[in-house]
Amino acid sequence: MLGVQRGLRPSLPYTVNLPFSRVELHIHLDGAIRHETIYELSKAKGLSLPGDGSLKALKSYLVIKHGVSLANFLERFDTLFSPLLGDLKAVERLAYEVVEDSSTQGIAYFEARFVPHLFLPKNMVTDTNEAKKFVWDVTAAAITGLEKGQRDFKTKGNLIATCIRGRPDHWFTDTLELAQDINFHRGRIVGIDLAACADTSEEGRLKTAAAVEFCRNGAKLGIPRTIHAGESGEGEMVSWALDELLATRIGHGYRICSDRQAYDRILKDQIHLECCPWSSLLTASVSPTDLPHPIVQFFQDDFNVSINTDDPTVTGTQLEDEYNLLRAWGLSEHHFVKANFNAARSCFLPENERKDLLQDLSKIYGFATYGEDMKS
């Protein structure tokens, strides 16, 4: 089912700049840090590294080879986060480099998950005013990196303020206050999400009073909501995210294929699914023997679906690698164009900016005009 190499680039006597024709809605900022940056920062801070301490050993450890479980996939993040903890300049650099890397993939716009609490200095008590201030400070650093990157590379990136399911209640209240503080982030936080760490990978942890209150209060404030569901949990968790967490998009959602009611509902209501091909295999959310892969089925049935990388540091992929995997599964440029328009229509940008993005894509793809109801 695979037979596709990840992260390889052909050796050509020339290079072609990709047009800004792609939109990515599911990438984790911390999961997109360059291996070289982790290595450089870790060496400078005297942190231990896997294996013999070389860059090659670090890459070998971080990039998952085979799908085991979501928890196994997420265990790599301890090494990934170590050189970033408490370091605002490193977080600014991370965000800047993510914009640069996105620009090389022809990405016009992306929305990146960002969990500010995970960057707290080691041993800092999280329920203090000092910690809350750092949450704002580290978010400011990420926004600065995004803005500098946009000026230099033209790609625009915004943040989705994300909380980890199963964490203390004040994480939820901090994250919602942060998303609500538009005078602070100036529109750079466009939504909220609930995600997982290795010890909270079980999706049943979404079913807490804090998680429900977080999302429902976000809805009351008019903050868009996307929820990780149907990845490690079954299809009914997607329905639960829609009904109880008032999700407007779903991250992953592959396992609705075993829940006919959820499948039909997502299709009928055109709920956007942010799908990540390589990640779906490496987290063991989908087995390589499951044919057709849910993403292929979604495209065949005309779902509102997009193509994303999730965590490039751990998957070892860029967006073009995801497209190559889908090509190996039989999808074509028609599906990719449609996915990018799906993503643009379903992104959390304000209405005027969303329309501008759609018009820009239309011009790049050679459409004279673009109507909201147009089927690409």
Side-chain angles (χ1 to χ4, degrees):
M1 186 177 183
L2 302 184
V4 178
Q5 295 292 323
R6 288 177 281 170
L8 299 181
R9 299 289 181 268
S11 178
L12 298 173
Y14 57 86
T15 59
V16 177
N17 292 327
L18 291 173
F20 291 115
S21 59
R22 297 172 175 176
V23 177
E24 182 165 22
L25 299 184
H26 195 116
I27 182 172
H28 293 258
L29 198 70
D30 48 81
I33 184 172
R34 295 171 180 171
H35 299 126
E36 293 80 5
T37 300
I38 299 172
Y39 182 76
E40 179 187 322
L41 292 173
S42 296
K43 294 290 283 185
K45 297 179 180 185
L47 301 175
S48 61
L49 289 163
D52 63 6
S54 65
L55 175 60
K56 181 179 179 180
L58 176 66
K59 290 181 178 180
S60 179
Y61 171 74
L62 287 175
V63 176
I64 298 286
K65 313 305 187 294
H66 307 287
V68 177
S69 66
L70 177 60
N72 176 263
F73 183 92
L74 294 173
E75 283 174 359
R76 271 58 178 178
F77 281 74
D78 286 343
T79 298
L80 187 157
F81 267 109
S82 290
L84 300 172
L85 298 181
D87 190 336
L88 300 180
K89 282 297 182 184
V91 173
E92 179 184 324
R93 172 182 173 178
L94 159 63
Y96 180 87
E97 291 178 348
V98 170
V99 177
E100 181 179 14
D101 292 341
S102 295
S103 73
T104 68
Q105 297 297 302
I107 296 171
Y109 175 69
F110 67 86
E111 293 176 357
R113 266 74 170 181
F114 183 69
V115 187
H117 293 86
L118 293 180
F119 295 89
L120 289 171
K122 194 173 183 180
N123 301 321
M124 178 180 280
V125 179
T126 65
D127 59 345
T128 62
N129 289 335
E130 181 186 21
K132 186 169 183 175
K133 179 181 181 301
F134 186 85
V135 166
W136 264 251
D137 288 344
V138 73
T139 305
I143 290 171
T144 297
L146 294 177
E147 291 174 338
K148 288 182 177 179
Q150 183 177 349
R151 286 196 296 270
D152 289 348
F153 308 112
K154 310 307 179 187
T155 293
K156 179 170 183 173
N158 282 330
L159 300 177
I160 294 175
T162 302
C163 196
I164 299 297
R165 57 197 188 219
R167 289 297 185 257
D169 289 359
H170 66 268
W171 282 40
F172 293 88
T173 55
D174 287 351
T175 304
L176 191 59
E177 287 179 29
L178 183 69
Q180 187 183 3
D181 192 356
I182 193 167
N183 289 330
F184 160 72
H185 62 71
R186 306 179 306 283
R188 284 290 181 169
I189 295 177
V190 293
I192 56 175
D193 181 26
L194 291 171
C197 281
D199 63 334
T200 66
S201 60
E202 203 278 308
E203 280 183 21
R205 288 178 176 266
L206 287 171
K207 295 184 175 182
T208 65
V212 172
E213 184 178 13
F214 171 70
C215 293
R216 287 181 171 259
N217 285 340
K220 290 177 183 177
L221 293 166
I223 301 172
R225 292 135 336 265
T226 177
I227 303 295
H228 283 69
E231 180 185 22
S232 62
E234 296 308 313
E236 66 93 11
M237 287 305 303
V238 174
S239 298
W240 198 87
L242 294 173
D243 293 333
E244 302 301 325
L245 303 179
L246 308 181
T248 50
R249 289 191 335 224
I250 295 294
H252 304 295
Y254 319 111
R255 293 187 175 177
I256 61 171
C257 289
S258 61
D259 185 324
R260 194 72 228 180
Q261 185 175 2
Y263 192 95
D264 290 344
R265 177 184 181 183
I266 296 292
L267 175 58
K268 177 178 179 293
D269 294 344
Q270 285 292 286
I271 303 297
H272 187 80
L273 298 178
E274 310 155 357
C275 292
C276 310
W278 274 105
S279 167
S280 73
L281 301 173
L282 299 175
T283 61
S285 179
V286 179
S287 168
T289 61
D290 289 346
L291 298 172
H293 188 285
I295 298 175
V296 175
Q297 191 66 49
F298 295 156
F299 275 109
Q300 289 177 335
D301 287 349
D302 203 24
F303 273 65
N304 179 7
V305 61
S306 61
I307 304 164
N308 309 275
T309 54
D310 200 5
D311 295 293
T313 311
V314 184
T315 61
T317 62
Q318 295 294 336
L319 197 55
E320 184 64 20
D321 300 305
E322 307 290 343
Y323 281 56
N324 285 337
L325 181 58
L326 293 176
R327 289 185 181 102
W329 294 346
L331 298 186
S332 67
E333 297 305 315
H334 162 79
H335 300 102
F336 305 152
V337 172
K338 184 171 184 179
N340 284 304
F341 276 100
N342 286 342
R345 282 194 299 264
S346 302
C347 75
F348 290 158
L349 282 171
E351 182 70 11
N352 62 323
E353 293 185 48
R354 188 174 65 86
K355 287 182 177 179
D356 288 343
L357 176 60
L358 285 164
Q359 290 294 342
D360 289 344
L361 291 182
S362 297
K363 292 175 183 176
I364 288 169
Y365 283 111
F367 302 145
T369 59
Y370 184 88
E372 283 293 317
D373 58 348
M374 174 183 172
K375 285 282 187 178
S376 54

